């Protein structure tokens, strides 16, 4: 796509850099076509700079290249020794480059930096330029201004039918009516299916018998604890930490409220807010010292100080359960919910598949099947993109499903919401077409008014400019126009904001005027 000297820039190189930018998140997907021309110009500029450096006799030796590589990839030179070509190639493969490609780009970069340095060394800035830049950065102005707004002039605009027809003819592509469709669709709702779904007792018992291992509860204890951490703390602090824990243990043994002490003193922040409650634990879930102490205590008992890798603990066992199998009655509710949910999902998918097949044969058959199952047949005529569909509303999944579907086409069952499936058939397709004036009159009229208003304001602004050049008084002119004259209360610079107008850069030409002179018009 470009040649600079003997160096070529190829489409594959451009695509590779675009893909890398997209993967790293620098370039949003879908904007490749916008970014590609800028990227190409950047690559050409880099190659041209390197070419000019080479033309001036600058060279990059192998030794200089090696020093630069070591600076960029120190991980390949541990202890000052090169890790080898294989490791070098593997590292570059992660950024989709070969060794020759990478070293060529690096040579060009070094040459460009040298040329830039040489150019900068030759630049001379005069005291007058410095003074001018200082003023440019630091001078401030206060201004008076008035606005010409569309609202003030719209009442002066007259629009005829001929204006509307002419505008529509000249801008017909802006008023194209989108493709529309006549749709027949069915929504399978979980709530309605659930009302007709039951799971017999025998199925619940069968599921219980087949899944007994699920309902086995291991031996477990419900534990509260207080923790004083020792991890990351010097050994010299450990005696003081243990003494602090001893004081807490004495308070517990004396009948102090364990939960209150945990909330105030425990350094296990997750459980401290719950009064030290860490819930139920089974064997194998905690470090051995903690587990052994927890399972050796009886409900209501408190441990002595337990030392683990985390620090010092005091444990209190609230409840204890031996290993056991939960009874059918205990798990009946959970099983009922699980099996009912699974059957609802299966029934919804089955109905969706049946409706899809029936629509493929005839709309009447599908409507009969739907009515039998308490599902309403829904229609939307001349439906356009993002319409508000009956009993569906505006739904992205619905729009995606019907996009591009031809006349007679049927969608597979798709998720409309987490609790609904839908199946849609396209009955008719009406292609996109230019709108008649009667169909878009209000939009066209608004567009004509805005266009005429912009022209009127522009003409008015130019006339004002001429009047000011002729010497008319600024305040008197504002008064004659019936507009409010305003002034900024504080001075502002080029990088600041003009009170009531916004960023100063919008009226930058005003900074080049002398006191008493006028500037503008500015299109804000």
């Amino acid at each position: 796509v470009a040649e600079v000297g003997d160096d070529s820039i190829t489409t594959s190189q451009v695509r590779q850099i675009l893909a890398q930018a997209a993967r790293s998140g620098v370039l949003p997907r879908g904007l490749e076509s916008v970014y590609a021309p800028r990227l190409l110009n950047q690559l050409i500029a880099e190659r041209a700079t390197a070419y000019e450096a080479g033309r001036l006799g600058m060279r990059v030796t192998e030794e200089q290249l090696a020093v630069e590589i070591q600076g960029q990839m120190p991980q390949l030179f541990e202890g000052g020794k090169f890790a080898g070509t294989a490791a070098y190639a593997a590292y570059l493969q992660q950024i989709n480059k070969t060794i020759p490609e990478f070293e060529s780009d690096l040579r060009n970069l070094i040459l460009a930096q040298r040329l830039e340095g040489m150019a900068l060394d030759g630049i001379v800035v005069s005291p007058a330029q410095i003074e001018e830049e200082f003023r440019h950065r630091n001078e401030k102005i206060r201004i008076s201004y008035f606005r010409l707004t569309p609202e003030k002039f719209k009442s002066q605009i007259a629009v005829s039918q001929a204006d509307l027809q002419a505008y529509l003819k000249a801008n017909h592509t802006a008023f194209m009516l989108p493709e529309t469709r006549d749709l027949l669709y069915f929504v399978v709702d979980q709530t309605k299916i659930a009302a007709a779904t039951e799971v017999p007792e025998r199925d619940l018992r069968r599921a219980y018998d087949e899944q007994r291992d699920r309902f086995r509860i291991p031996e477990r204890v419900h534990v509260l604890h207080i923790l004083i951490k020792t991890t990351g703390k010097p050994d010299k602090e450990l005696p003081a930490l243990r003494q602090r824990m001893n004081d807490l243990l004495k308070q517990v043994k004396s009948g102090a409220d364990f939960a209150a002490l945990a909330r105030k003193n425990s350094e296990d922040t997750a459980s401290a807010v719950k009064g030290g409650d860490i819930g139920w634990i089974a064997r194998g879930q905690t470090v051995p010292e903690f587990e052994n102490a927890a399972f050796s205590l009886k409900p209501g008992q408190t441990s002595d100080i337990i030392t683990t890798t985390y620090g010092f603990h005091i444990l209190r066992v609230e409840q204890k359960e031996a290993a056991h199998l939960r009874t059918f009655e205990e798990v009946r509710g959970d099983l009922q919910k699980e099996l009912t949910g699974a059957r609802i999902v299966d029934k919804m998918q089955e109905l969706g598949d049946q409706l899809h097949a029936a629509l493929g044969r005839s709309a009447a058959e599908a409507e009969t099947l739907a009515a039998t199952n308490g599902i309403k047949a829904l229609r939307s005529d001349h439906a356009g993109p993002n319409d508000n569909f009956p009993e569906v509303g505006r739904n992205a999944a619905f729009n995606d499903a019907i996009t591009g579907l031809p006349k007679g086409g049927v969608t597979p069952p798709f998720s409309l919401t987490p609790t609904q499936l839908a199946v849609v058939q396209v009955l008719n397709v009406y292609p996109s077409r230019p709108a008649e004036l009667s169909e878009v009159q209000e939009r066209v009229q608004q567009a004509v008014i805005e266009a005429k208003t912009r022209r009127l304001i522009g003409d008015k602004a130019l006339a004002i400019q001429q009047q000011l050049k002729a010497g008319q008084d600024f305040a008197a002119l504002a008064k004659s126009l019936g507009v409010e004259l305003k002034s900024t209360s504080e001075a502002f610079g080029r990088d600041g904001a003009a009170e009531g107008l916004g960023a100063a850069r919008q009226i930058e030409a005003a900074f080049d005027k002398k006191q008493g002179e006028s500037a503008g018009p500015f299109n804000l």
Side-chain angles (χ1 to χ4, degrees), residues 236-268:
K236 63 182 181 180
E237 291 184 15
L238 297 185
L241 295 175
R242 175 172 277 277
Q243 183 55 50
R244 181 183 167 198
M245 188 57 100
N246 270 322
D247 293 341
L248 291 172
L249 182 60
K250 288 177 183 177
Q251 294 179 59
V252 171
K253 298 287 188 183
S254 301
D257 186 305
F258 191 97
L261 287 173
R263 274 191 287 270
K264 185 176 180 180
N265 299 281
S266 180
E267 294 177 357
D268 175 4

Side-chain angles (χ1 to χ4, degrees), residues 138-187:
N138 293 281
E139 67 185 358
K140 296 182 178 182
I141 59 174
R142 285 183 62 247
I143 62 169
S144 294
Y145 67 91
F146 56 82
R147 292 172 174 272
L148 305 179
T149 61
E151 290 70 25
K152 182 170 182 60
F153 296 97
K154 279 183 180 178
S155 60
Q156 302 174 25
I157 303 297
V159 180
S160 66
Q161 265 323 90
D163 290 334
L164 299 180
Q165 290 286 5
Y167 189 90
L168 180 58
K169 184 176 181 180
N171 300 275
H172 66 277
T173 55
F175 296 94
M176 293 290 290
L177 294 181
E179 180 182 83
T180 59
R181 292 177 168 87
D182 292 341
L183 306 174
L184 170 65
Y185 57 100
F186 305 92
V187 176

Side-chain angles (χ1 to χ4, degrees), residues 294-451:
F295 282 90
S296 66
L297 297 170
K298 295 178 181 178
Q301 284 188 329
T302 302
S303 72
D304 290 324
I305 297 173
I306 309 298
T307 304
T308 73
T309 54
Y310 300 105
F312 302 125
H313 307 253
I314 302 173
L315 279 60
R316 181 183 180 86
V317 170
E318 294 290 285
Q319 302 174 70
K320 196 169 188 176
E321 281 187 358
H324 66 283
L325 174 68
R326 295 176 70 192
T327 65
F328 173 73
E329 292 303 327
E330 286 179 300
V331 300
R332 174 200 287 273
D334 293 339
L335 282 173
Q336 181 84 43
K337 188 182 297 183
E338 289 174 16
L339 294 183
T340 301
R343 292 193 179 190
I344 290 170
V345 171
D346 291 344
K347 180 63 175 175
M348 287 177 70
Q349 190 60 51
E350 182 185 346
L351 263 175
D353 292 337
Q354 289 174 352
L355 287 166
H356 176 266
L359 278 171
R361 294 186 287 270
S362 77
E365 182 182 339
E367 290 185 37
T368 301
L369 173 64
T372 303
N373 288 276
I375 298 171
K376 188 189 296 185
L378 300 164
R379 292 181 182 273
S380 184
D381 295 332
H382 289 279
N386 301 311
D387 271 7
N388 201 337
F389 297 99
E391 298 196 23
V392 171
R394 288 186 176 85
N395 186 286
F398 193 92
N399 273 310
D400 290 345
I402 64 174
T403 298
L405 206 62
K407 180 179 178 178
V410 181
T411 68
F414 63 91
S415 292
L416 189 64
T417 69
T419 60
Q420 291 178 317
L421 289 180
V423 183
V424 186
Q425 182 177 40
V426 176
L427 302 178
N428 286 299
V429 177
Y430 305 97
S432 174
R433 62 177 176 82
E436 297 293 332
L437 181 58
S438 60
E439 295 171 306
V440 290
Q441 178 147 344
E442 189 175 329
R443 286 174 54 204
V444 174
Q445 183 160 344
Q446 186 62 34
V448 171
I449 291 172
E450 288 177 1

Side-chain angles (χ1 to χ4, degrees), residues 22 99 102-103 138 148 157 162 210 225 330 352 372 396 413 417 442 464 467 475 479 488:
I99 291 176
F102 174 75
E103 292 188 353
N138 293 281
L148 305 179
I157 303 297
E210 291 172 353
H225 85 137
E330 286 179 300
T372 303
T417 69
E442 189 175 329
I464 290 169
Q467 289 173 284
K479 186 175 181 181
T488 55

